[in-house]
Amino acid sequence: AARGQEDHRGRGQRRGRVLREQVLVPLGADTEGSRFLEPDGSFPNHIPNPENERAMEAICEQVKKTGADLGIIFDTDVDRAGAVDDAG
């Protein structure tokens, strides 16, 4: 970032990681199947948007692959979410 400007790259990914570590894990959630939580600012995996078809396909695949009961996907600033059940 330029001097005096905050670097916003990966901010949403950090928020997702914080939500996992400070909310879900303390509630007893098994978050072993969590993905794409390390900030890199480029979102190379898919657009981080629960309204995006490719993003929802990715969470459905991960839920099935890991045998999770629930999958949650957040947008970049974690103010919108999508959820899928164990059937994906």
Side-chain angles (χ1 to χ4, degrees):
R3 186 178 181 149
Q5 292 182 343
E6 184 179 351
D7 186 352
H8 297 287
R9 292 174 299 169
R11 178 179 267 182
Q13 289 160 305
R14 279 193 296 275
R15 288 181 181 157
R17 187 175 65 226
V18 167
L19 179 69
R20 180 189 68 181
E21 293 170 0
Q22 294 182 5
V23 177
L24 298 175
V25 170
L27 289 172
D30 177 354
T31 61
E32 288 292 318
S34 295
R35 302 171 69 193
F36 313 136
L37 296 175
E38 295 306 315
D40 70 3
S42 68
F43 306 111
N45 305 294
H46 56 70
I47 296 170
N49 178 352
E51 297 174 6
N52 178 273
E53 186 176 338
R54 184 167 169 224
M56 289 306 295
E57 288 171 359
I59 191 69
C60 290
E61 289 174 17
Q62 186 69 0
V63 165
K64 291 176 186 177
K65 178 181 172 185
T66 62
D69 296 318
L70 177 70
I72 305 171
I73 182 173
F74 297 97
D75 71 338
T76 57
D77 60 0
V78 192
D79 68 346
R80 292 179 295 137
V84 296
D85 64 13
D86 59 342

